[in-house]
Amino acid sequence: PRPVVAKLLDDLPIRWLENQAQPVKWSPDDHEPALAIAGVTCTNDAVRDGETLRQVLAGAPNNPAAPFVLLLYHSPDLMPQAARAQVDLSLCGHTHGGQIRFPLVGALVTGSRFWKKYEMGRYAEGHTTLYVSRGIGMEGRGAPRARFLCPPEIELIELRGTR
């Protein structure tokens, strides 16, 4: 079944990227896309999702005129595969920064198979930059619905390039 969020977007001019890449041109006059936005569905199986990423990127524009690839994936757990695939920027959440943090320790729990390696903020591996958002929500399943020393955040990330 389609995710609830995808259904909510049906009547809006927003495209739900479910295991696909979308080329983006800055203007209709551009001959080549400036970037590709890739969306990979998170199954919590890094091997499977890594293969899906490889397949999605195989269909993404990958030429000198459109060298920038932006990956949208729920969890930071795909970072090693994204770095190997030369993704430029990967945006994710999932960890909520740990929600419960203590001074000098940081997150007590992250929900990532890498534990604290990508708990929140900016990381770089080779050519790839990862940003893990704390977001504005809270985990509602096994974790407490609370935040401590982990304020919610909404990021504004500007992509700038040259023509």
Side-chain angles (χ1 to χ4, degrees), residues 17-143:
L17 295 176
E18 195 166 8
N19 299 329
Q20 58 193 164
Q22 175 67 46
V24 177
K25 294 181 179 182
W26 294 131
S27 77
D29 298 331
D30 290 342
H31 297 290
E32 299 291 336
L35 64 107
I37 301 175
V40 174
T41 301
C42 182
T43 68
N44 295 312
D45 179 337
V47 173
R48 180 173 147 192
D49 293 351
E51 177 58 23
T52 300
L53 172 63
R54 191 191 64 69
Q55 292 171 3
V56 166
L57 294 181
N62 190 14
N63 58 57
F68 195 90
V69 176
L70 168 62
L71 171 63
L72 305 175
Y73 184 72
H74 180 75
S75 163
D77 290 353
L78 209 55
M79 177 57 167
Q81 292 93 325
R84 281 194 298 277
Q86 298 290 301
V87 166
D88 295 284
L89 176 61
S90 181
L91 302 176
C92 69
H94 182 67
T95 66
H96 298 277
Q99 283 180 218
I100 308 294
R101 301 178 62 81
F102 287 112
L104 306 176
V105 175
L108 298 181
V109 177
T110 64
S112 168
R113 69 187 182 107
F114 294 108
W115 192 47
K116 295 170 66 65
K117 185 174 182 180
Y118 308 116
E119 65 185 63
M120 67 178 193
R122 182 183 177 278
Y123 302 89
E125 287 185 21
H127 176 81
T128 303
T129 296
L130 168 70
Y131 192 85
V132 183
S133 171
R134 291 189 312 261
I136 59 173
M138 292 178 273
E139 173 63 46
R141 293 185 182 163

